[in-house]
Structures are given as structure tokens and as C-alpha cells.
Amino acid sequence: MKAAASAKKPIAWVTGLALVAGLALLLRPRNDGRADSTPPSTKSPAISFPARNSERPSTTPREASKRTSLTVDELVAIYEKEGADAALAAAKGLTGPDRDSQVVFILTYLARIDPEWVAKALAESGLSTTHQGFIVSAVMEHWKDGEKALAWASGFTGDLRKSAVGMALRILVRTDPEKALAYVDAMPDSGNRSQALTDLFASWGEHDPKAALAHLDHLSPDERVRTTELIAGAWARKSPREVIAWIGTVQDKATSDRLLQEVALNWSSVALDDAKAWIATLPDSLKAGILESIAERERNTIRCGDESTQPPPDQGWKNKPVAEMTETDLRNWGFQDPTGAKTYLERATGETDLSELATAVAAGMTAKETPAAIFEWAQSLDAKTGGNAALRLAIISWASTKPAEAADAIDQAAPERRLPLATALAETWSRNDPAAAAAWAASYPGNDQKTLVREVIQQWAGSEPREAYAWLATLPAGGSRDEGISYMLIRESSSDPASLVPWIELLSTPELQKEKRAVLDQDLKRAHGE
């Protein structure tokens, strides 16, 4: 949907006053210069709760404990009305096979709002180590206090401890690199120390590469070589021209060539066309190897927004009828025999769900075909044959390079396919260029706009909350702004509920205002220790 100019509607002076007051409170400078989901505190690190039982007693319907499943909307509704304890208790009380996935959902959802509370709740969640890994990732994504995060991560064991410590170091090195380095220096030589160094310097290299390079004396000669490459790669994803200029000061040609290859691989992962234009200027001897490395990466990577590790491929699919193939069989077929799999998909009648096969084929096509070509091919497949999955992969790939073209393509898709594709575009586009994604979402027609507004706000508020909320305030009254405000109330209520009061007045219906005010009143009482 192309951005369209919209006439600004006059706002009554009462609403305008509420808007100004709300922005002034919510967007005022804080300790770190941005809105934060955890309030500043002078006390020693402790776990804070979004809702204590004494303040918001659990009144989950009795029938919930007898149910085998709850929808995500039902779990969120329990949280909004009764608090985090009640929502988690409802998920843990399920008796069916969906119990663990529902607990994972509500903890992941709450991690965006109060990661410290989730960190404490995880210990009593009853989840397996694998499921705990999902929650650790969600918590670390939203936790701003690296020191607390590292103390918590150190309490795990095995591989989970290794990954959790690495993620915590990525947080801590951005605010207190000396403490992060001291932690790693105290670790014995092992695979855990090597991983910790990788995580620390990869994050530091992206945040402050020059400072990271100045601290390489903490490392052994072998560690220094690989760490320099890590820093160069992280720097390239953010400021490729700067790191190329720095590499020009490196005297050793072999080291310089290795670093240039690292820059090319990382830059091409975020801006392929720009990186290839630069690669074309390199000497032929260096250029050939770099282009082959990029091509190999494209052949072996599923670029569909799912970074979960896939099982090793095997040949078992060859001996099974299609109707008996597992998801792994379908993926292996798509990777090992893409031509045959593509032909089968084009002739399939839709009797079997072939989404995994279509996704694998589309992923393989990204190495040679443009997103537009993949999109056109996927449109020929129906939903059962895997067309929707392949279309989504094409849009995500497209959004990384030419999101406006992806938006135009979505307009040409069948009406029933547009919203899932538009949501995928909004999610990816908002990570790369939230202001442009917001302008597109604001111009999207119909009732689906509110879904896109929520997606943009959710992604944008994670990195630039003040800018995100300022944009939200510019939307006209209605369902889309209500959706964005409702998300903001959830995200910010645990840290600064007083700043949210004026936003209640901007909700479009008295019923919605009453509902959200009741929830906010509970947060205000909690904030005042009542």
C-alpha cells in the first residue's frame, strides 16, 4: 500500500491537553535517555513483579483449571484483568498437551513487559531445559540491566548456562564493559570462555567497535585474531564504510584480506545490493572468493524469520509416500531435490499440507531468484499446498532490501492472503526502518490497519520507544490508535503507570477507557505500595 496523505482531523482541546500531558510524562528523559520497562532503583538488584498476589488476587475462572487449552487471547485477557500471577497460573493449570506451549507463550509475552519477573517465575514453571531456553532468550532480549542478567544466567548449568551467560554479557558490555571483561577474565580456559568472548566482543563490536579493538590485550594471540574478525563483522553490519576505512590502516595484507572478507559477508547479510556494489571494486583474486562464500551461505540458509536449528538431512523421505512424510522429511526433500519438489508442488491437488516443502523450495530459490519471482511462483500454489508459507518467506526476504516493492506486491495478492503477509512485512520492515514502516501502516486501508499498527509499535518501541509513542500520538482516533495505546499500556504499566493516565482519554470509546483505567488503577496502587 503506497503512503497516502491524510487530512488531519481537529482534536478537541480536552483531548489535545491529554495528549500533550501524556507525551510529556511518558517521553520525559530518564536515566538512559529512553523509555524503559523497569523503573530506576537505588536498591540492590532484585526481582520486581508486574503484579503481586496481595494487590491483584488471582480470580482465574474455576473452569480454567479443568481445561486442556486456552487461546493466546484468553491468556492475555487474564493478564490484563488479573495480573501476571493469574495468567501464569492459568497456563500452568492446563492438563492437556498444550500446557507447556501455553506457559512458554505467556512467559515470552510477559518478558517484553517485565523480564525480571519472568526470570524469577521461570524457576517454578515446570518447563524442560529446551523450553527454558526459549524463555531465557526472550528475557535477555528485553532485559536492560546486564549485571542482574549475568547474575541470573550464572545460576543455570550446562549448555543453558553457556548460552545465557553469553546473552547477558552482550547486555552488560554495552553499559559496563570493564565488569563484562572481568567476568570473562575470571573464567577458566574452555569452550565456555571461548563462547563468552565471542558473545561479548560481537556485541561490543557493534555498539562501540573502536573501544572493543582497544581491549584486545585481554586475549591470547589466537583469540585476538578471531576476535578482530568478529568486531569487524559486527561493525560492518552497522557502519560498513567506517570499518573499511579502518581496515585500510592495517599493514599486514593477509590480515587485511581476511577482514575485508568478514566485512563483505556481514554487510551483504543486511544490505546485499550495497555490499555487492562495493565487492565489485575489489581485486579479482579477493572478489571471487567472497562472492562464492556469499552464494554458499544463500544456498544453505532458510531466510524465513525462523532461526531454529533444523535436524541434519537424511534420505528417509525417498522411501515414503508423500502423505506419510513428516515435516522433517518434507524439508529434506525440498533441500535435496528442489527441482523435483517444485514440480510436485505445482501439480499437487492440496490433499496434504505441504507448507514445509514449499518453504524449503522457496528458501532454495533465494540464492538464484529475486523475491518478486519467488512471490509470483508462490501465488500459483494454494494454501494447503504451501503457498502461504512460501509467500511469507518471499515477503520477509523482499522486506530486507526493497520493502516498498513488497508492499505493492501484497496489494496484488488474494484478499484472504494479504493480512498475514502485511503483518510479516510490518515486522521485518519495522526492525530495519521503523519510521518508513509506520508511514506505510498508517496508510493501510480497512480494519486490518490496527494489526499492522500494533506490530509496528511492538517492534519500534523495543529500540526507540519515545519515537514510537510520538508517532502513535499522531494517528487519528479509532481502532488503530486504540490498538497501539493498548499495547503501550501493557508495555509501560510496570515501569511508569502515572505517565499513562492521560493516554486513557485518547481511547475512542467510553467502554474501552473504563476497562483500561481499571487495570491502570491497579498498577498505580502497586507503584505506590498499596
Side-chain angles (χ1 to χ4, degrees):
M1 179 69 193
K2 292 183 175 66
S6 58
K8 294 183 179 179
K9 298 181 180 179
I11 302 176
W13 71 270
V14 174
T15 303
L17 183 60
L19 176 58
V20 172
L23 281 171
L25 283 166
L26 187 60
L27 308 185
R28 68 186 186 277
R30 302 187 185 181
N31 290 345
D32 58 359
R34 53 168 286 180
D36 196 351
S37 62
T38 51
S41 174
T42 58
K43 299 178 180 179
S44 58
I47 304 299
S48 61
F49 283 77
R52 293 195 296 267
N53 286 334
S54 60
E55 296 161 353
R56 193 179 286 172
S58 175
T59 55
T60 306
R62 251 179 300 174
E63 59 270 20
S65 63
K66 300 178 182 178
R67 295 176 61 174
T68 59
S69 182
L70 288 166
T71 68
V72 295
D73 288 340
E74 287 173 323
L75 283 172
V76 172
I78 293 172
Y79 164 71
E80 291 183 340
K81 292 179 180 178
E82 303 176 33
D85 289 325
L88 180 57
K92 290 168 63 175
L94 298 173
T95 58
D98 291 338
R99 184 264 186 197
D100 284 356
S101 64
Q102 302 285 43
V103 172
V104 168
F105 165 76
I106 195 61
L107 288 177
T108 303
Y109 181 87
L110 293 172
R112 302 176 179 181
I113 302 164
D114 193 336
E116 293 183 40
W117 182 88
V118 173
K120 185 173 183 179
L122 181 60
E124 303 298 328
S125 66
L127 293 175
S128 66
T129 301
T130 299
H131 284 131
Q132 286 185 51
F134 299 150
I135 307 305
V136 169
S137 296
V139 166
M140 294 301 186
E141 183 179 353
H142 298 282
W143 211 341
K144 308 303 179 188
D145 191 324
E147 191 172 0
K148 288 184 184 178
L150 186 57
W152 178 62
S154 299
F156 291 105
T157 59
D159 288 342
L160 186 55
R161 183 183 191 277
K162 180 178 178 180
S163 62
V165 165
M167 287 184 276
L169 287 169
R170 285 174 175 264
I171 302 169
L172 181 59
V173 75
R174 292 173 178 262
T175 57
D176 197 335
E178 295 300 332
K179 283 187 178 178
L181 285 168
Y183 184 93
V184 176
D185 284 344
M187 297 177 70
D189 289 338
S190 66
N192 286 357
R193 173 184 158 83
S194 177
Q195 183 62 50
L197 281 171
T198 297
D199 288 310
L200 187 155
F201 277 98
S203 178
W204 202 1
E206 187 171 336
H207 176 63
D208 189 352
K210 294 179 181 178
L213 288 168
H215 284 76
L216 294 181
D217 55 346
H218 284 257
L219 310 178
S220 67
D222 289 342
E223 290 173 337
R224 201 170 300 161
V225 171
R226 178 55 190 148
T227 300
T228 303
E229 294 174 358
L230 277 173
I231 295 171
W235 197 353
R237 290 192 293 274
K238 188 175 182 180
S239 303
R241 301 294 180 186
E242 286 186 12
V243 68
I244 290 168
W246 171 77
I247 292 173
T249 68
V250 175
Q251 301 298 317
D252 183 72
K253 186 178 184 304
T255 301
S256 174
D257 286 350
R258 283 201 312 272
L259 293 174
L260 287 174
Q261 181 164 11
E262 198 71 28
V263 168
L265 289 171
N266 282 274
W267 189 5
S268 64
S269 71
V270 295
L272 181 60
D273 292 342
D274 291 343
K276 283 188 173 179
W278 167 72
I279 293 167
T281 68
L282 297 175
D284 289 342
S285 58
L286 184 59
K287 178 168 52 180
I290 289 174
L291 290 175
E292 176 56 32
S293 295
I294 292 174
E296 181 66 18
R297 181 191 64 198
E298 296 296 318
R299 287 193 292 269
N300 294 306
T301 302
I302 300 179
R303 297 189 302 169
C304 62
D306 179 6
E307 299 178 357
S308 56
T309 303
Q310 303 296 330
D314 58 52
Q315 302 291 316
W317 60 271
K318 292 184 177 181
N319 302 316
K320 296 181 182 179
V322 174
E324 296 179 9
M325 287 187 185
T326 65
E327 292 183 354
T328 300
D329 290 330
L330 292 170
R331 283 194 294 268
N332 290 337
W333 180 12
F335 287 127
Q336 296 171 35
D337 180 21
T339 301
K342 185 178 179 183
T343 301
Y344 184 87
L345 287 167
E346 291 167 354
R347 298 175 179 175
T349 59
E351 296 177 0
T352 303
D353 185 351
L354 300 174
S355 296
E356 292 292 336
L357 181 63
T359 299
V361 170
M365 292 171 68
T366 60
K368 298 179 180 180
E369 303 283 354
T370 64
I374 300 171
F375 189 88
E376 182 178 359
W377 170 74
Q379 285 203 94
S380 68
L381 308 178
D382 62 26
K384 190 75 171 178
T385 307
N388 291 350
L391 283 169
R392 184 177 184 276
L393 185 145
I395 287 295
I396 291 172
S397 177
W398 216 340
S400 300
T401 54
K402 297 181 179 178
E405 289 185 8
D408 289 341
I410 290 172
D411 288 344
Q412 307 307 315
E416 66 274 11
R417 285 178 158 176
R418 289 175 192 165
L419 180 57
L421 296 178
T423 303
L425 174 59
E427 179 183 357
T428 305
W429 197 352
S430 296
R431 293 197 191 108
N432 300 329
D433 189 351
W440 168 71
S443 69
Y444 200 88
N447 193 51
D448 290 344
Q449 184 192 75
K450 64 183 182 182
T451 301
L452 305 185
V453 166
R454 185 182 181 98
E455 189 64 47
V456 169
I457 283 289
Q458 184 171 315
Q459 298 298 329
W460 198 357
S463 58
E464 298 178 324
R466 288 193 289 177
E467 290 83 351
Y469 299 152
W471 168 73
L472 178 60
T474 69
L475 296 179
S480 294
R481 191 168 75 181
D482 290 347
E483 191 74 15
I485 292 174
S486 295
Y487 174 77
M488 181 186 65
L489 293 174
I490 293 173
R491 186 179 190 275
E492 299 293 340
S493 62
S494 64
S495 61
D496 195 2
S499 68
L500 302 173
V501 173
W503 289 85
I504 298 291
E505 302 301 324
L506 299 184
L507 295 169
S508 63
T509 67
E511 294 78 15
L512 188 57
Q513 290 178 8
K514 181 179 179 181
E515 176 189 336
K516 298 301 182 183
R517 187 178 288 110
V519 176
L520 189 58
D521 285 346
Q522 294 296 320
D523 291 314
L524 288 167
K525 290 179 181 178
R526 171 180 52 79
H528 289 91
E530 297 178 15

